[in-house]
Amino acid sequence: MNWQSDRHDVKPIYKQIASHLENQIACGEFPSGSKLPSERELAKQLQVNRSTIVAAYEELQALGLVERKHGSGTKVSSDIWGISYKRIPNWRHIVEQGSLLPNVPLFRQIQQETHHSQIIDLASGELSPDLFPSHFFQELMATKPFTWHLGYEKPQGNITLRETICTHVKKKKQIEVTPASILITSGAQQALHLVIQCLLRAGDAIAIEDPSYFYSLPLFQSAGLRIFLLPTDQDGINPDDVERLYKKHRIKMIFVNPHFQNPTGTLLSMERKLHLLEISAKYGIPIVEDDPYSLTSFSGEPVMTLKSMDQHGTVLYVSSLTKLAASGLRIGWVIGPQTVIERLADAKQQVDFGHSIFPEWISHHFLSSEIFDTHIDDMRAKLLQKSNIIMQALQNKLTDKVSYLVPQGGIHLWCKLNQPVNESALIKEAILHGVVFVPGSVLGSKEGYVRFTFGRAEDDLIEEGIDRFAQALSIAIE
């Protein structure tokens, strides 16, 4: 076939091939009932992967132009100009048109690999099973009678749990709040989604940290927001950058993860916290404070949240039990002005008619029990131990090849590679060696970094995971 793809065209190669074949069919070069080249043959002719030809043929099949039969190949429809031929939906085209963008392919690949039992997981942002308070949950369900109402939940979430959260955040985070100012969500991720959908519109400018977990979320791009980056150092973001962005782009909202940040593990300094709040109040810029880690401080010293210092009501506070108890509970919350909470609750009700009552019941008992403090102390000690294990492994296996920030809490270690390396080659080699991590470009604007999550792997596998990474890195650098 005398045809070449246009590598500069934004249209995918398979669509270009499908369009070319469609034109050939329309011109009669491939008449009704004629057989098209086999997938393997056409792939060789056009010098593309066979999967690209499969996708092109599926596109033509969805348009009703060709018929495909296993073992017989692909031929032009015998009723191409008639009315009896029934067309199938072009699902490939349909899924590409959805308003919610998919995760980047590399991130999806990493997520898929974490489910393989032979892979050591230094990528997933969650706790290892030995850090779950499983015994408490088992005892609770075995001994405590369940008496809560089983009908639809209130849009804001169960009132008893919201009262418990009021007590919890006052005691642990010095945040004064009433139940009316709390919304229960399906983890922090749903809270962020509701904030974006309800409080922002396409074209609005927002600011996020760089690097940041927010950087990897398609939620912002799906909503059509303009994203501006706030560089971070060992003390977090510089609030002066916020003021500069506001004057230039009129940013509408700031998203920060100020305590043992994902991925750097850094803590926003007290001086910068106060300055950020000052700028927020000066220009009326809301701050979304995402706080999954503040109770994991390795020193045990209390961490002052932005919300606890918020005198002007500019902070929306988001937290959850995902990084403190169990990701499977799917219990998070948003704290903010009552008018905002009511708006978010209305949107949540449209999505799921309120939260599931069983995880709310378990979370209420967990947060209000004496075991909570014991669990947090035990988790801190174990996370510190895991942190020390991974840093010692880096010293032993990669002494001169990496540098990193020493985490003060949380579950992540941000590591800089001291030599240039192709990220795709590195992740491929790492998977072949049986370990997975998150490349820095998924989480920020700069390459040459990796995020290791030490909270997920069990202690005896962390050192082995770094050893496998070191082997992969040696091959990828060559």
Side-chain angles (χ1 to χ4, degrees):
M1 184 183 296
N2 186 19
W3 177 86
Q4 284 189 336
S5 64
D6 182 356
R7 301 289 176 175
H8 300 292
D9 194 336
V10 294
K11 183 188 293 185
I13 300 297
Y14 81 90
K15 283 185 175 289
Q16 294 183 42
I17 295 172
S19 295
H20 178 68
L21 290 172
E22 183 179 359
N23 290 334
Q24 288 194 304
I25 291 170
C27 294
E29 292 188 38
F30 287 111
S32 176
S34 65
K35 195 170 183 180
L36 295 180
S38 70
E39 295 163 1
R40 193 180 304 278
E41 178 187 348
L42 189 55
K44 185 176 180 180
Q45 287 181 28
L46 302 183
Q47 297 183 338
V48 297
N49 291 329
R50 184 180 175 185
S51 60
T52 303
I53 302 302
V54 171
Y57 279 174
E58 287 177 351
E59 186 89 354
L60 294 173
Q61 183 184 23
L63 293 171
L65 298 177
V66 303
E67 300 169 1
R68 307 188 72 205
K69 188 175 181 181
H70 184 68
S72 300
T74 303
K75 69 176 184 177
V76 179
S77 172
S78 56
D79 188 39
I80 190 171
W81 308 120
I83 59 174
S84 64
Y85 188 81
K86 293 180 175 60
R87 298 184 179 185
I88 63 172
N90 186 346
W91 289 115
R92 186 185 298 274
H93 177 74
I94 290 170
V95 299
E96 289 174 353
Q97 302 305 306
S99 60
L100 184 62
L101 298 175
N103 285 311
V104 296
L106 183 57
F107 200 63
R108 294 203 303 272
Q109 180 187 7
I110 292 167
Q111 290 175 323
Q112 290 169 359
E113 294 296 339
T114 60
H115 296 293
H116 296 164
S117 58
Q118 71 273 21
I119 290 282
I120 296 177
D121 185 0
L122 298 178
S124 298
E126 61 176 332
L127 301 176
S128 58
D130 64 306
L131 294 179
F132 296 163
S134 301
H135 291 301
F136 172 79
F137 294 155
Q138 292 166 2
E139 183 178 345
L140 172 66
M141 290 184 284
T143 61
K144 199 80 172 179
F146 179 83
T147 58
W148 287 17
H149 177 57
L150 283 172
Y152 283 131
E153 188 52 274
K154 292 179 174 63
Q156 285 183 227
N158 181 268
I159 182 62
T160 303
L161 175 58
R162 284 186 282 135
E163 290 171 344
T164 299
I165 290 173
C166 288
T167 302
H168 165 73
V169 297
K170 181 178 181 180
K171 177 183 177 183
K172 298 296 183 182
K173 304 183 181 184
Q174 295 78 53
I175 299 173
E176 296 279 352
V177 66
T178 65
S181 297
I182 297 176
L183 169 69
I184 306 299
T185 62
S186 180
Q189 188 98 344
Q190 187 185 55
L192 294 172
H193 182 75
L194 291 172
V195 167
I196 291 166
Q197 292 296 317
C198 296
L199 307 184
L200 296 166
R201 62 178 63 184
D204 283 349
I206 64 164
I208 65 172
E209 299 153 315
D210 180 24
S212 169
Y213 167 66
F214 298 126
Y215 190 95
S216 69
L217 296 178
L219 295 175
F220 301 106
Q221 292 90 340
S222 297
L225 302 176
R226 294 182 295 135
I227 304 169
F228 296 95
L229 304 180
L230 298 167
T232 61
D233 59 24
Q234 67 274 10
D235 293 316
I237 63 168
N238 185 341
D240 289 336
D241 290 333
V242 174
E243 188 168 30
R244 175 181 53 80
L245 286 177
Y246 177 78
K247 290 179 178 178
K248 187 174 182 180
H249 301 288
R250 288 297 187 267
I251 57 172
K252 294 291 183 67
M253 196 169 285
I254 310 161
F255 290 79
V256 291
N257 173 204
H259 315 116
F260 316 122
Q261 194 245 14
N262 179 2
T264 64
T266 56
L267 183 66
L268 187 64
S269 69
M270 180 60 70
E271 179 183 357
R272 291 187 178 185
K273 285 179 183 178
L274 293 170
H275 192 22
L276 180 60
L277 288 169
E278 178 187 345
I279 290 172
S280 171
K282 179 179 179 181
Y283 296 106
I285 314 170
I287 299 171
V288 177
E289 179 183 18
D290 183 20
D291 177 28
Y293 304 117
S294 63
L295 293 183
T296 66
S297 170
F298 296 156
S299 69
E301 293 295 319
V303 174
M304 293 293 288
T305 63
L306 292 169
K307 188 62 181 174
S308 67
M309 299 185 288
D310 178 19
Q311 299 180 359
H312 304 284
T314 63
V315 178
L316 289 178
Y317 179 80
V318 176
S319 193
S320 74
L321 289 179
T322 300
K323 304 298 191 293
L324 296 179
S327 47
L329 271 181
R330 307 314 303 142
I331 288 290
W333 54 86
V334 188
I335 297 175
Q338 191 169 341
T339 52
V340 173
I341 295 302
E342 289 172 355
R343 174 69 181 95
L344 301 183
D346 177 74
K348 178 173 167 60
Q349 188 179 40
Q350 295 178 49
V351 173
D352 59 16
F353 265 90
H355 211 75
S356 172
I357 193 65
F358 289 106
E360 289 186 305
W361 178 74
I362 292 172
S363 299
H364 154 68
H365 285 288
F366 178 59
L367 285 171
S368 58
S369 71
E370 294 181 357
I371 199 67
F372 180 81
D373 286 341
T374 303
H375 167 73
I376 294 297
D377 290 342
D378 182 57
M379 182 183 66
R380 279 180 185 145
K382 288 181 177 178
L383 286 177
L384 175 58
Q385 179 176 316
K386 288 175 182 289
S387 172
N388 289 333
I389 290 173
I390 197 168
M391 287 190 291
Q392 187 61 56
L394 289 170
Q395 288 291 327
N396 294 341
K397 307 292 183 181
L398 294 160
T399 308
D400 58 344
K401 294 182 179 179
V402 302
S403 54
Y404 55 85
L405 295 172
V406 177
Q408 304 169 58
I411 62 175
H412 305 296
L413 185 142
W414 187 238
C415 195
K416 185 180 186 301
L417 305 177
N418 293 336
Q419 290 179 264
V421 62
N422 182 290
E423 279 192 345
S424 298
L426 178 57
I427 192 69
K428 180 180 178 181
E429 284 297 332
I431 291 170
L432 289 174
H433 281 78
V435 65
V436 68
F437 61 93
V438 177
S441 64
V442 174
L443 300 163
S445 61
K446 298 178 181 178
E447 293 190 0
Y449 291 83
V450 298
R451 187 195 76 182
F452 295 120
T453 300
F454 53 82
R456 178 64 182 86
E458 309 224 353
D459 289 6
D460 59 343
L461 293 178
I462 293 176
E463 184 174 0
E464 173 63 23
I466 295 300
D467 184 49
R468 295 182 185 185
F469 174 83
Q471 295 175 46
L473 181 61
S474 295
I475 294 173
I477 288 176
E478 292 177 355

